[in-house]
Amino acid sequence: MKLKSKFSFLATLLVVFIISGVSICWFIAERRYMINQLKENQVSLVDGLVQVSKEYLITKDQILLLNYINFLVHNKKIVYVIFSGVDGKILAHTDIHRLGETDKTIVGIKAIKTEKLFIQSYQNKKGKVITDYALPVFMERKKSGIARIGFSREELNKAIKETVFQTGKRIFGITLVGLIIGILGSLILAQTLTRPIKKLTSGAKMIGKGKLDTIIEVNNKDELGALAKEFNLMAFQLKELDQMKQDFVSSVTHELRSPLTSIMMYIDLFFKGATGELTEKQRNFLNIMKNSSKRLNSFINDLLDIAKIERGKMELIKEPLNMTTILQETIQLFNIQADEKNIKIYSKIQENIPVISADQNKIRQILNNLLSNAIKFTPEKGIISIEIQNISEYLQVSISDNGMGVPPEDLEKIFDKFKQVRGVKNKIKGHKGTGLGLATVKAIVQLHRGEIWVESILGKGSTFYFTLPKVK
Ligand SMILES: Nc1ncnc2c1ncn2[C@@H]1O[C@H](COP(=O)(O)OP(=O)(O)OP(=O)(O)O)[C@@H](O)[C@H]1O
Ligand SMILES: [Mg+2]
């Protein structure tokens, strides 16, 4: 899982957890408050009835009491309103038929006895559950009557449900908005935090690929900024070290070159008889010396080429070039080597291959390297085929062999300097090489604005392709 996804996931989880937790607590508290509020409302209605009943007892004017009862009747939650004397005689009732009656119901008898707010629930004859609120009416500290209101439990529950639903809806809306803002916030935060890490990663990749002048631009003033600074410093020091290494290699190779040239020259003089007639044994020894010196010379040339490429100092001397001729000459040159291993080289050259503008020596270098690799990594009695195709804006050359092939994980790497497929050296006879050939070839192809790639099946063979543009 990517760091950004991990961080976004955790931050989102935290936001969801906190906001949901807060919302649930808020909802519970709000619900409790609403229920209490409803209860207080009911008590205040009974309290109102007590006040109006007191007025009635003082003035004996029934109008006010009846008006209040009429007003209460409109409330859907109220089933009945009763004001009775301490003897249980009903002085006012929502049902006028019961006026003057003595309330003998158990609820009524219990209510009369109370000295303070008394709440009881019961089921009436119609099967409805009623909650009866009774509050005594005191006149000059003397209990003078009982005010009672019967509330329908069903309606009360409905009212509670409705308020709870409305509250829930409101809290849900706010929670949703909070969640959206929170999740967006955590995504933006994850993006902001991981952007410099991404930059550091791609910078490290570039440095790993050898681009030591890479500078990572992270302007953060935090630990990531400090890390980027250290990274840039490290890349700078690596570049200095690399430069020192390059300087060292090129001075060593230059120093080796002059004595080697004179060794080779003197070997040639020996062969030409400058020191008299040579015996067979002397010729053999001198041949070995000549071959070793040639190899050392070509290694030095490869090192110098790579150094030139790395410094951007390799230059092309372009001239009109007939690829067909150059290819045929190269094949002829390598036929001797191929014969030694009983390898056949076939060529397939399209007609009318146009003359292109390229550096002849460098193109020969490409073909030499690819062909010598093909022979080197193909066992005896193998087959090598070379093809030139004229494809729209470029020429495409391919060199195929049925040799040992390259493992898929190494297909990219073999074009890097000093990279050779692991264990390959033990499988080949003779000169093992140093892994500079393909790096030089790739640089030369790219200098010509062409492309190079390889297709290979391990154990079956490889085909190296390169293109050269036709335009100058
Ligand atoms: N035709 C091929 N078949 C199989 N493997 C190949 C082939 N060409 C190249 N390789 C692999 O790629 C590696 C790099 O090739 P490259 O030409 O750069 O180096 P080299 O041939 O080992 O040494 P040098 O070219 O410096 O003498 C080789 O060591 C080999 O493992
Ligand atoms: Mg090679």
Side-chain angles (χ1 to χ4, degrees), residues 100-338:
E101 213 180 81
T102 303
D103 191 357
K104 286 189 180 133
T105 60
I106 302 168
V107 182
I109 294 166
K110 273 189 186 168
I112 284 168
K113 288 179 187 154
T114 188
E115 296 294 316
K116 54 182 187 200
L117 177 69
F118 183 59
I119 303 169
Q120 39 187 337
S121 289
Y122 67 97
Q123 203 166 21
N124 70 5
K125 283 175 198 157
K126 289 178 188 164
K128 267 189 177 181
V129 181
I130 310 283
T131 306
D132 185 281
Y133 279 65
L135 201 60
V137 180
F138 285 97
M139 300 288 288
E140 290 164 0
R141 295 194 181 167
K142 190 172 163 243
K143 194 158 106 182
S144 316
I146 299 291
R148 280 171 57 204
I149 299 181
F151 292 95
S152 155
R153 172 71 68 82
E154 196 186 332
E155 291 297 328
L156 282 180
N157 283 346
K158 248 193 216 169
I160 289 172
K161 249 191 200 162
E162 179 61 16
T163 12
V164 166
F165 175 71
Q166 291 304 337
T167 313
K169 219 163 89 176
R170 203 171 35 149
I171 292 176
F172 179 73
I174 294 170
T175 308
L176 204 67
V177 173
L179 278 178
I180 291 171
I181 294 173
I183 290 170
L184 278 180
S186 46
L187 289 180
I188 292 169
L189 193 68
Q191 174 81 14
T192 324
L193 277 177
T194 50
R195 200 180 296 136
I197 296 176
K198 255 191 197 161
K199 277 190 184 173
L200 276 165
T201 315
S202 65
K205 248 189 207 160
M206 296 301 279
I207 291 170
K209 279 185 183 164
K211 292 218 155 98
L212 298 179
D213 45 5
T214 308
I215 287 183
I216 302 164
E217 275 187 41
V218 173
N219 300 322
N220 293 34
K221 299 253 181 294
D222 51 18
E223 288 86 344
L224 288 173
L227 183 61
K229 249 189 206 162
E230 288 301 322
F231 226 93
N232 289 334
L233 192 69
M234 182 190 77
F236 178 72
Q237 283 167 346
L238 271 177
K239 202 180 163 210
E240 274 192 340
L241 274 174
D242 193 57
Q243 189 60 46
M244 273 164 66
K245 186 199 77 192
Q246 275 182 25
D247 291 347
F248 174 73
V249 169
S250 78
S251 69
V252 167
T253 41
H254 273 113
E255 288 303 317
L256 281 173
R257 215 176 191 187
S258 7
L260 186 64
T261 317
S262 65
I263 290 172
M264 285 167 81
M265 214 177 69
Y266 280 105
I267 292 173
D268 273 346
L269 282 175
F270 274 126
F271 273 120
K272 280 178 184 160
T275 53
E277 195 64 27
L278 296 177
T279 64
E280 191 59 29
K281 207 171 187 181
Q282 282 170 333
R283 271 188 183 278
N284 278 345
F285 285 178
L286 277 174
N287 252 330
I288 296 172
M289 280 168 76
K290 193 178 173 180
N291 284 339
S292 302
S293 310
K294 259 188 181 172
R295 260 206 326 256
L296 187 55
N297 192 44
S298 87
F299 175 58
I300 288 172
N301 284 340
D302 281 352
L303 277 179
L304 287 172
D305 272 348
I306 287 287
K308 261 192 213 161
I309 291 163
E310 283 179 345
R311 288 183 184 181
K313 293 250 167 77
M314 184 176 264
E315 278 169 13
L316 299 178
I317 305 166
K318 285 192 178 178
E319 55 185 315
L321 200 86
N322 186 335
M323 275 300 282
T324 311
T325 319
I326 291 194
L327 194 71
Q328 280 162 346
E329 284 172 10
T330 316
I331 293 174
Q332 223 167 15
L333 204 73
F334 276 91
N335 264 331
I336 309 159
Q337 256 188 60

Side-chain angles (χ1 to χ4, degrees), residues 9 33 36 68 80 83 106 129 136 153 173 203 234 246 263 274 291 307 319 325-326 340 362 402 445 453 458 471:
F9 176 71
Y33 172 77
N36 281 342
Y68 189 65
Y80 58 76
F83 173 56
I106 302 168
V129 181
R153 172 71 68 82
M234 182 190 77
Q246 275 182 25
I263 290 172
N291 284 339
E319 55 185 315
T325 319
I326 291 194
E340 283 172 12
K362 301 250 163 18
N402 60 350
V445 171
W453 69 98
L458 195 61
V471 282

